[in-house]
Amino acid sequence: MKFSIKLVLSTMIVLALALGFSGFYFVNYVFETSLDREVGQALDESSILSFAFETAALNVPLKYSVLPDSVVEEIASKLEMEGQGGGRLLRIADEEKNILYTSSGFTSDEGLLPQTDLRTKSYRVIRAQGGFYVHTCVAINTLNRMLYLETMKDVTEVFTERALGFSLYRKVTVVILLTGIVIMLFIASLLTKPIRLLTKATRKMAAGDYTYRARQVSRDELGQLTGDFNRMANALEENICKLEEEIEAREEFMGAFAHELKTPLTAIIGYADMLRSHKLDEEKSIMSANYIYTEGKRLEAMSFRLLDIIVAKQDEARLLDVPVGELFAYLREMFAEKKEMDIRFVYEEAVVRMEANLIKTVLVNLIDNACKASEYSGVSPEPGGKAADQKGADMAGVPEASVSGGSTGVVEVTGERVDGGYRIAVRDYGIGIPEEEQIKIVKAFYMVDKSRARSKNGAGLGLALCAEILKIHHSGLQIESKEGEGSCFSFVLAL
Ligand code: ADP
């Protein structure tokens, strides 16, 4: 059964019970009050009658010492005639409870007589002649005689009014319930609207439409539920998108990996086959073995990089406070042999949180890439290094460049404090990277110029490794580059 119908039914049951009980109580209360009033009047009337009887008995001629039955009848019939609307219903009995006089139409039995004495008046409500009556009985002590006066007062109207009251209340209850059903159906439909909208949203999502959101139509608990549902749907959609992206990235990775494996393996297999199936002269044999060796080395380098990436992905960062001076000293020493490049180290002293070995790997990769990009450009640009040099002069580091004779390019490695951390940047004035390639180059196996990268033993894994290492340092790689003008790779570490 629908929730709105349940709501309507339960409300109607409560309303019907409330109306039923209150109606019954109200009509009965009015009835009881009217009946009490009628009983009071009947008792008053019977007192007045007994008084009138006693007064009439006083006028009896003196010759009687005891009130005779004939006078009793006479007084009784007189009192009967005096009644409003053509007569009273009364009955007189003597002390032995023998009936002396009965009005025609007085049909009640003699049940009240035994309960009545000089001090007690008694009454009861009886049903007679198709109507209801208040039957009263009172004792009269007159002229040495003890008599009993009984009256009957018609109270049928009170009972008729009660029946009418009940019937009217039943009709009113039915009308109220019918109107209530219509109003409650409308209210229930309004109240359950958020539930209907939520159900629709849930079904849509179950059918695969993760973008669908439930409309929030109220601010109550159901409105809050809708809000929470939508937030849950957002989180779900985000996670599904992430999963889809991850699956896509994995597929891309597998494709690229297979391709990168295939190229050196094809060469290795080709040259190995040539060596075993042909008799080659010494020069060709050496050349073939050389190809096998270089391609094998490339494969080895690739597998090491891949291992590094896997380790970096799984690694928990063990970050320590490291003075940047140590890092720059290591880099300067590492690249001291690279005489054909002008690699300048300019940095501000600071203590930075990092895993030194991993950050060294990042910087070695970036500087390596910068050197490759500069060598290839074949230009010897005048770096915008003036500013850098000036800045370097203000810094605590060593601004002098380790310049070698006949260099083809300049690479600047800088370190400076910035808002929220310490920024390390590697700038070159080499070939630069086209804008549309900039976001792709951090993907594994991505190379802008494949043949050039392969000729330099690259497999497009260096930046992917850098990105993974920076991720565990809660940082990321920023790339600014202009084709033909050079690039700047930077990242920020916590101080
Ligand atoms: P690789 O091992 O090929 O160098 P990387 O992941 O380090 O792989 O770099 C991916 C590609 O990004 C490189 O093949 C190169 O095309 C491009 N790249 C990286 N650094 C630079 C740079 N400083 N200037 C121009 N291109 C760059």
Side-chain angles (χ1 to χ4, degrees):
M1 192 191 277
K2 272 185 165 186
F3 179 66
S4 54
I5 302 293
K6 279 186 191 168
L7 201 68
V8 173
L9 274 185
S10 46
T11 316
M12 286 305 113
I13 289 170
V14 173
L15 191 65
L17 285 176
L19 283 173
F21 279 120
S22 64
F24 177 79
Y25 176 79
F26 178 70
V27 173
N28 233 29
Y29 175 77
V30 173
F31 166 75
E32 299 274 345
T33 320
S34 306
L35 192 64
D36 281 353
R37 198 181 54 235
E38 291 295 331
V39 168
Q41 275 178 8
L43 288 173
D44 287 350
E45 229 174 84
S46 109
S47 298
I48 290 166
L49 269 181
S50 66
F51 182 69
F53 194 95
E54 281 166 4
T55 315
L58 289 178
N59 297 329
V60 169
L62 287 171
K63 59 179 175 172
Y64 299 115
S65 59
V66 175
L67 195 67
D69 288 355
S70 58
V71 177
V72 171
E73 273 175 42
E74 199 181 306
I75 297 172
S77 105
K78 216 167 134 208
L79 290 178
E80 182 191 341
M81 300 315 280
E82 281 172 4
Q84 282 176 351
R88 287 192 177 100
L89 291 174
L90 50 89
R91 185 162 69 186
I92 309 279
D94 63 11
E95 46 271 76
E96 270 81 45
K97 320 261 162 111
N98 297 319
I99 304 299
L100 301 178
Y101 179 83
T102 308
S103 308
S104 65
F106 196 105
T107 48
S108 180
D109 59 18
E110 287 146 34
L112 269 187
L113 282 174
Q115 303 166 23
T116 316
D117 57 31
L118 254 185
R119 286 175 300 279
T120 13
K121 288 179 186 173
S122 55
Y123 78 90
R124 62 181 180 174
V125 178
I126 53 161
R127 194 174 189 150
Q129 303 162 23
F132 291 89
Y133 292 84
V134 180
H135 177 193
T136 66
C137 184
V138 62
I140 308 170
N141 194 2
T142 179
L143 207 62
N144 304 324
R145 264 196 101 167
M146 171 86 169
L147 297 171
Y148 292 97
L149 169 68
E150 290 175 274
T151 59
M152 269 175 73
K153 181 171 167 54
D154 189 356
V155 289
T156 311
E157 206 176 318
V158 177
F159 283 84
T160 318
E161 269 171 16
R162 180 172 75 162
L164 265 176
F166 278 140
S167 130
L168 186 71
Y169 220 89
R170 267 197 300 277
K171 282 178 195 153
V172 169
T173 304
V174 169
V175 171
I176 289 179
L177 285 181
L178 287 176
T179 323
I181 285 175
V182 175
I183 294 171
M184 269 314 291
L185 274 174
F186 177 69
I187 292 174
S189 142
L190 272 187
L191 288 179
T192 54
K193 192 171 181 190
I195 300 177
R196 287 200 302 281
L197 292 174
L198 261 179
T199 314
K200 190 177 170 193
T202 320
R203 285 197 186 138
K204 287 248 179 200
M205 285 188 75
D209 184 357
Y210 297 108
T211 53
Y212 192 85
R213 295 289 176 272
R215 196 154 49 88
Q216 196 167 347
V217 286
S218 64
R219 285 163 191 243
D220 55 13
E221 288 87 335
L222 285 177
Q224 281 169 13
L225 179 67
T226 311
D228 290 342
F229 176 86
N230 286 345
R231 272 186 287 282
M232 185 194 75
N234 286 345
L236 205 67
E237 191 190 358
E238 217 170 88
N239 282 343
I240 286 170
C241 279
K242 257 192 218 159
L243 272 178
E244 279 172 357
E245 272 168 24
E246 223 162 86
I247 291 169
E248 206 176 300
R250 242 171 234 191
E251 276 169 5
E252 246 175 59
F253 178 90
M254 293 306 287
F257 180 54
H259 184 76
E260 286 309 307
L261 266 184
K262 208 180 86 188
T263 322
L265 279 178
T266 314
I268 289 171
I269 293 165
Y271 282 109
D273 190 40
M274 210 154 78
L275 275 176
R276 66 169 192 165
S277 53
H278 296 88
K279 242 188 173 322
L280 300 172
D281 57 36
E282 200 184 338
E283 194 191 336
K284 278 192 177 160
S285 299
I286 291 172
M287 193 194 77
S288 304
N290 211 28
Y291 266 119
I292 293 171
Y293 178 79
T294 11
E295 291 305 301
K297 271 283 174 200
R298 234 162 60 74
L299 271 181
E300 186 191 39
M302 196 168 81
S303 70
F304 284 150
R305 276 279 164 83
L306 273 174
L307 270 178
D308 285 345
I309 292 178
I310 291 164
V311 171
K313 266 185 199 262
Q314 291 167 350
D315 229 13
E316 279 280 309
R318 285 175 299 274
L319 307 183
L320 297 172
D321 291 337
V322 180
V324 285
E326 276 180 20
L327 188 74
F328 278 85
Y330 166 85
L331 293 171
R332 185 176 293 112
E333 203 180 310
M334 170 117 194
F335 288 95
E337 293 303 309
K338 215 167 171 62
K339 302 275 188 225
E340 69 281 13
M341 291 297 302
D342 177 1
I343 306 176
R344 301 170 180 185
F345 296 95
V346 182
Y347 63 94
E348 198 177 343
E349 254 322 336
V351 176
V352 177
R353 278 196 84 70
M354 65 168 100
E355 176 144 2
N357 282 335
L358 293 179
I359 293 299
K360 279 175 194 166
T361 309
V362 171
L363 286 167
V364 168
N365 266 301
L366 294 181
I367 298 170
D368 245 356
N369 281 350
C371 291
K372 286 182 204 164
S374 307
E375 281 165 18
Y376 189 75
S377 75
V379 287
S380 180
E382 182 56 36
K386 269 186 188 160
D389 286 349
Q390 257 173 17
K391 194 170 189 184
D394 301 335
M395 293 178 177
V398 186
E400 273 101 308
S402 44
V403 188
S404 66
S407 72
T408 55
V410 174
V411 173
E412 291 162 0
V413 186
T414 56
E416 57 180 333
R417 286 168 188 272
V418 287
D419 258 6
Y422 191 86
R423 179 174 182 264
I424 301 180
V426 177
R427 166 171 288 285
D428 67 67
Y429 300 89
I431 51 170
I433 309 156
E435 209 176 324
E436 64 282 3
E437 307 277 355
Q438 287 175 19
I439 44 162
K440 299 181 195 162
I441 56 171
V442 283
K443 284 188 183 166
F445 299 113
Y446 194 84
M447 295 162 265
V448 178
D449 181 342
K450 283 194 194 313
S451 58
R452 187 181 79 81
R454 284 196 189 115
S455 73
K456 303 240 173 223
N457 247 352
L461 290 171
L463 291 180
L465 175 63
C466 294
E468 285 307 325
I469 292 174
L470 290 174
K471 217 185 262 175
I472 60 175
H473 282 79
H474 313 294
S475 181
L477 201 57
Q478 273 137 38
I479 305 167
E480 293 157 48
S481 184
K482 223 168 188 188
E483 217 180 339
E485 288 184 22
S487 320
C488 179
F489 287 75
S490 64
F491 55 90
V492 176
L493 296 174
L495 279 165

